[in-house]
Amino acid sequence: MALRNYDPNRDREAAHRIWRECGWLKKGEEEWMDRWIGCGRALVAEVHGEAECLVLTAPGTVRYVDEDLPLCAVTGVTTSRVARKQGLAGRLTAKAVALAAAEGALVAGLGMFEQGYYNQFGFGTGGYEHWMKFDPAHLVVPTRVRPPRRITEDDWQAAHAARLARKRGHGGVNLISPDVTRCEMHGTENGFGLGYYDGPDGELTHYLWCGTDNVESGPYNIGWMAYRTPEQFLELMAVIHSWGDQIHLVRMLEPSGIQLQDLIRQPFKHRTITEKSRFEAAMHAPAYWQMRICDLEGCLARTHLRGEEARFNLRLHDPIARFLEEDAPWRGISGEYVVRLGPESNAERGADAALPTLTASVGAFTRLWLGVRPATGLAVTDELSGPPELLERLGWTLRLPDPKPDWDY
Ligand SMILES: CC(C)(COP(=O)(O)OP(=O)(O)OC[C@H]1O[C@@H](n2cnc3c(N)ncnc32)[C@H](O)[C@@H]1OP(=O)(O)O)[C@@H](O)C(=O)NCCC(=O)NCCS
């Protein structure tokens, strides 16, 4: 079973068939799938001479405190009906991560279909994302709404640029190719955007992109928001409030650093009243994205923390190696390191007998490094262990904001 680069001339039809069999491709949308494939690298695995497994990645960045690190975003893992459970998706995903890591991606990320599968390749689960459903009439926003401008699919370039320039907190992801935004806009049912061109040269500064199955009464689903200042965020919330006379429910992701419930009047009362209705007000908190460090030295060289310094030995286990060919350009980051975390951080191969030792899988260490959970908690539920004093100390060293990618892929 050959694993190789996707070749549009040879594999286009087979790739469409894979996605059709997964329920990811509707008739007439084939060119859009081609465009999505074109956002980055595509690999296929052959069975009986035809592509039966397709793995896509796209280049991006992920913010770590104030630094933007190169990210490999895994944007599609699919196996056709005839090739399931042959290990193809696993081997191909591992290969895609290895190629990106060899080219300089410091981190890889993805949205998981289920917990456990991508842990096999070293990915660790991110924190909970708060998805709130509320009646827009119940928003309390201090800002009066200025009439926004319409944003349509035709504005994809401006929409993408505004996204890249948006305020991003710790963990914030950008995907580089403008075609990502173009495809996401196109893929939104009854998609529409509203925003403001307040830039010095009249560029789009803040907007929301929204979709719905029911234009008349909702629910409306906010696909994403882009804004640069708190005032711009509140102005977008005022736009949502302005829908309240007609639309009964809006679903949106809680932005980084914001407690959305603060902006809702009587949230508990409305949860009770709307329970089990089509317009049920609720808050859901799934943890569905995962990341993994691909280059420990590279990540730590760009890690600047404000807490106390900690030095320790790190015994790191990376399970990805067993899915990779012997001659792969990168074979994971298993090994022994001496690590310093603090205002200046680093990792060097080796061990120092005078230091305490932390033992971790790369997924668990990635979660620790990102600030998903403290070492003391990860030691309970994930593959991470060490002397209690070290775990405790790391809690003070890695006091980070909750990481929020703010871009689902
Ligand atoms: C998910 C998918 C890509 C897997 O493809 P595949 O080529 O069959 O996967 P692999 O052969 O590499 O791996 C399957 C193995 O992983 C295991 N596995 C699946 N889910 C798992 C989980 N949550 N935790 C641990 N192992 C898991 C399976 O049990 C199977 O092991 P087995 O062969 O010993 O029974 C395929 O089912 C698919 O295309 N689904 C639809 C599209 C989709 O949801 N893609 C994922 C997007 S994030």
Side-chain angles (χ1 to χ4, degrees):
M1 292 178 205
L3 311 187
R4 58 170 173 78
N5 286 332
Y6 168 80
D7 172 355
N9 298 322
R10 190 167 151 198
D11 303 318
R12 185 171 181 265
E13 299 302 322
H16 293 166
R17 185 172 59 195
I18 295 170
W19 269 35
R20 231 175 268 125
E21 290 185 358
C22 290
W24 285 20
L25 183 63
K26 284 194 239 151
K27 258 206 163 59
E29 295 292 304
E30 289 78 6
E31 274 178 35
W32 286 95
M33 177 177 171
D34 299 342
R35 193 164 277 136
W36 186 252
I37 291 176
C39 292
R41 168 180 280 123
L43 299 177
V44 295
E46 273 182 20
V47 177
H48 308 313
E50 289 192 81
E52 299 289 2
C53 178
L54 174 70
V55 168
L56 308 177
T57 57
T61 61
V62 56
R63 179 153 295 186
Y64 188 91
V65 188
D66 294 324
E67 296 255 354
D68 283 322
L69 313 184
L71 171 81
C72 163
V74 180
T75 53
V77 177
T78 43
T79 302
S80 79
R81 288 182 188 142
V82 303
R84 295 267 169 107
K85 290 196 188 279
Q86 307 300 312
L88 293 180
R91 285 169 56 206
L92 214 49
T93 303
K95 186 180 173 82
V97 170
L99 290 172
E103 287 167 0
L106 297 184
V107 179
L110 51 82
M112 61 177 167
F113 68 94
E114 183 51 279
Q115 187 161 289
Y117 183 71
Y118 297 103
N119 293 57
Q120 302 176 98
F121 322 118
F123 287 85
T125 304
Y128 299 115
E129 295 290 343
H130 295 122
W131 284 94
M132 192 156 197
K133 295 198 243 175
F134 57 90
D135 181 339
H138 294 152
L139 271 177
V140 182
V141 196
T143 312
R144 270 196 74 76
V145 68
R146 286 183 297 160
R149 300 268 296 277
R150 285 189 190 86
I151 291 155
T152 71
E153 264 183 73
D154 295 340
D155 302 313
W156 56 277
Q157 277 159 315
H160 186 71
R163 245 177 143 182
L164 295 189
R166 79 194 187 287
K167 178 178 162 56
R168 271 181 306 138
H170 176 60
V173 162
N174 271 346
L175 298 191
I176 309 300
S177 168
D179 272 337
V180 171
T181 297
R182 190 180 187 187
C183 290
E184 288 174 348
M185 290 173 94
H186 176 78
T188 308
E189 187 80 12
N190 293 310
F192 68 93
L194 296 168
Y196 299 90
Y197 290 81
D198 287 354
D201 299 315
E203 75 265 19
L204 181 63
T205 44
H206 54 302
Y207 74 102
L208 55 82
W209 181 254
C210 186
T212 179
D213 292 340
N214 185 330
V215 179
E216 194 178 0
S217 48
Y220 278 15
N221 191 38
I222 308 294
W224 63 85
M225 277 185 173
Y227 54 86
R228 301 175 191 185
T229 67
E231 294 74 26
Q232 293 173 355
F233 164 66
L234 289 174
E235 187 158 42
L236 295 178
M237 294 310 290
V239 170
I240 294 174
H241 178 61
S242 76
W243 303 340
D245 292 342
Q246 185 186 6
I247 305 308
H248 306 319
L249 199 76
V250 170
R251 176 178 177 268
M252 72 175 272
L253 181 63
E254 184 173 76
S256 163
I258 296 287
Q259 184 134 4
L260 208 49
Q261 191 177 292
D262 290 354
L263 300 182
I264 310 288
R265 189 163 37 84
Q266 294 183 308
F268 295 167
K269 181 173 182 171
H270 289 103
R271 275 167 73 161
T272 309
I273 291 170
T274 58
E275 199 178 347
K276 297 195 167 65
S277 88
R278 209 175 108 211
F279 299 106
E280 182 172 13
M283 172 73 96
H284 295 282
Y288 54 82
W289 57 265
Q290 296 194 313
M291 287 193 195
R292 62 153 292 150
I293 293 173
C294 296
D295 174 349
L296 186 67
E297 291 95 331
C299 284
L300 293 198
R302 297 179 64 181
T303 296
H304 304 290
L305 301 166
R306 290 165 202 174
E308 286 176 31
E309 187 174 286
R311 290 191 72 222
F312 55 95
N313 294 310
L314 176 62
R315 200 168 291 144
L316 199 60
H317 169 62
D318 191 344
I320 201 168
R322 75 182 180 88
F323 296 91
L324 291 168
E325 286 143 20
E326 279 305 318
D327 59 350
W330 172 95
R331 292 193 41 81
I333 58 170
S334 281
E336 302 209 339
Y337 301 84
V338 179
V339 169
R340 177 165 59 137
L341 289 176
E344 297 300 323
S345 310
N346 58 36
E348 283 168 15
R349 292 269 178 185
D352 180 340
L355 294 175
T357 298
L358 186 75
T359 304
S361 66
V362 61
F365 188 78
T366 300
R367 300 173 82 192
L368 174 72
W369 170 73
L370 280 173
V372 171
R373 282 293 177 270
T376 45
L378 293 168
V380 179
T381 61
D382 206 345
E383 296 165 335
L384 183 139
S385 61
E389 310 76 53
L390 175 61
L391 302 182
E392 206 52 60
R393 188 182 179 83
L394 286 171
W396 292 103
T397 302
L398 287 154
R399 285 165 68 86
L400 293 161
D402 210 359
K404 298 286 179 200
D406 186 32
W407 195 317
D408 287 342
Y409 47 90

